[in-house]
Amino acid sequence: MSLPKTVGTKKRTEAFAEVFAPGVADHPSPALAISSFTGSAAAFAAAVLAQRGKTPLVLAVTPGLPEADALADDLRVIEDEAAIRVLEFPPPLEDDSSAAAARLKTSAALGAYGIRPYPLVIVACVRALETGVARGADVARATVELAIGEAPAFSELQEKLRAAGYARVPEVSGVGEFAVRGGVLDAWSPDAERPVRAEYFGDELESLRAFDAAVQTSVKKLERASFQPVEIASGGRSEKLFALLPAGATALFLDHDAYDAAALSGGREDLRRVYAGDPAPAGVPTADFVSSPLPGLSEVAAEAARNPEVLDAARARLQKHLAAARRRGELVVEDDELSGGFEVPGLVVAAKSDRVLGARRRAFSARAKAGAGERLSTAMDVEPGELVVHVDHGVGRFLGSTE
């Protein structure tokens, strides 16, 4: 996540909403078509649709998993600023408990959503939506609850976590894991920001604390904790995610021409549908909204990409464009955590990929984050001009690469 990017008191998400909401988010039609999004604009669009929907829930559908990962990462950059919640619904992957846990977490959230609706964006690729998931009620029944004065015996708690799909490890570092040391049990629920440490005296629970997985130290005292299942034993009923969406939610079909959106949604007519991509579906009205790429590297042909002079000229065009936008009073935001830049009237968003050829930002992870000084696996994580420490040559300044 990053801090809200503003000029004066206006946030970038607010500037985007001023352009996107009148013709798209607030449009009365139950189905609407728009052009494909540029860069990270799809994340801003999903956030605004969630903010302004009568049922403030958006399911953003992508053709493949890489597009879903990029969209989810972009959404997490702006989720605090936009006051939304972001959930990922990945396809089921063999021997990947984290994917199964994320699917159940989403189902549980939908199961409880009607109690108190809130702005929520769920990101899923087509393959993830073709397979059913346990219903929220079944997830709730499989959830392990702990509270001071009301908790299972120590050995029973371990068995409950195993039955819920948790893996026992020497030290907890990711969701779906638990560790035991003497009378202390650590576990990380898929729906929790931090893992929880339960301290027992015999079979009596004495304390519950959230702790930092990176340094294994307690950070907050708790009165109760719950551990959602990582997997549920077969025998329960499963539903496809579209069937679990509440009436009035919005389905945002990104690059809709790459798959059969109607078949994927099961023909649900009680959902609002926004199709991004060309051509528009037959009979669906088109909104006049376009997000444009920034000048610079996007204009460089592949055969010229290894020429440093061409790259320098492209970066100079970008900086000139950003300076001109600022002089016009537009909101200009540079954020290296976003996947790509774009512009709409009144707002210009620039990402690292607009300055550095082939750049990509580090992915978000539920695992413990490494501190400063982490070894880099690719030069794409370094921007020209930054100081680096080479394993053989010591301290130096990275000037760029022509490879």
Side-chain angles (χ1 to χ4, degrees), residues 26-118:
D26 296 342
H27 196 284
S29 175
L32 203 61
I34 56 178
S35 298
S36 295
F37 293 107
T38 299
S40 55
F44 285 74
V48 173
L49 287 168
Q51 290 171 337
R52 304 178 78 93
K54 292 182 179 179
T55 300
L57 189 156
V58 174
L59 172 58
V61 182
T62 67
L65 185 57
E67 297 91 344
D69 288 342
L71 176 60
D73 283 352
D74 286 338
L75 281 162
R76 294 198 188 283
V77 174
I78 64 173
E79 67 175 330
D80 285 350
E81 175 184 333
I84 60 171
R85 184 186 184 191
V86 181
L87 290 175
E88 296 179 62
F89 189 74
L93 303 173
E94 188 175 355
D95 299 325
D96 186 348
S97 60
S98 62
R103 290 172 64 85
L104 292 177
K105 176 181 176 179
T106 300
S107 178
L110 289 174
Y113 187 79
I115 299 173
R116 190 179 65 177
Y118 53 90

Side-chain angles (χ1 to χ4, degrees), residues 301-355:
E303 59 271 15
R306 295 190 178 186
N307 187 326
E309 293 181 358
V310 172
L311 297 180
D312 288 343
R315 295 187 186 101
R317 288 197 302 276
L318 173 63
Q319 292 307 316
K320 182 178 179 180
H321 185 77
L322 298 182
R326 290 188 177 98
R327 288 194 298 271
R328 293 193 299 269
E330 297 183 9
L331 175 56
V332 177
V333 176
E334 299 183 63
D335 192 332
D336 286 355
E337 290 188 327
L338 292 171
S339 63
F342 65 91
E343 64 178 324
V344 296
L347 173 66
V348 180
V349 175
K352 187 172 183 177
S353 59
D354 297 305
R355 301 189 311 275

Side-chain angles (χ1 to χ4, degrees), residues 174-256:
V175 300
E177 297 177 347
F178 80 98
V180 177
R181 298 181 307 282
V184 178
L185 184 146
D186 297 342
W188 197 336
S189 177
D191 66 334
E193 182 180 355
R194 297 182 184 276
V196 170
R197 177 162 293 155
E199 297 184 10
Y200 275 75
F201 182 75
D203 281 333
E204 183 177 346
L205 178 63
E206 289 198 325
S207 74
L208 280 172
R209 295 178 183 272
F211 69 93
D212 187 330
V215 292
Q216 296 289 309
T217 56
S218 299
V219 296
K220 183 180 180 181
K221 187 176 181 180
L222 305 172
E223 290 299 320
R224 60 178 56 250
S226 62
F227 302 96
Q228 286 189 353
V230 177
E231 62 183 34
I232 294 179
S234 59
R237 181 182 171 188
S238 67
E239 298 276 6
K240 292 184 179 179
L241 192 68
F242 262 102
L244 302 178
L245 297 179
T250 298
L252 174 59
F253 296 106
L254 300 170
D255 298 319
H256 72 89

Side-chain angles (χ1 to χ4, degrees), residues 156-176:
E156 183 184 355
L157 174 58
Q158 296 176 55
E159 290 304 315
K160 284 179 175 287
L161 291 174
R162 287 194 186 94
Y166 284 68
R168 181 166 178 173
V169 295
E171 183 178 278
V172 169
S173 61
V175 300

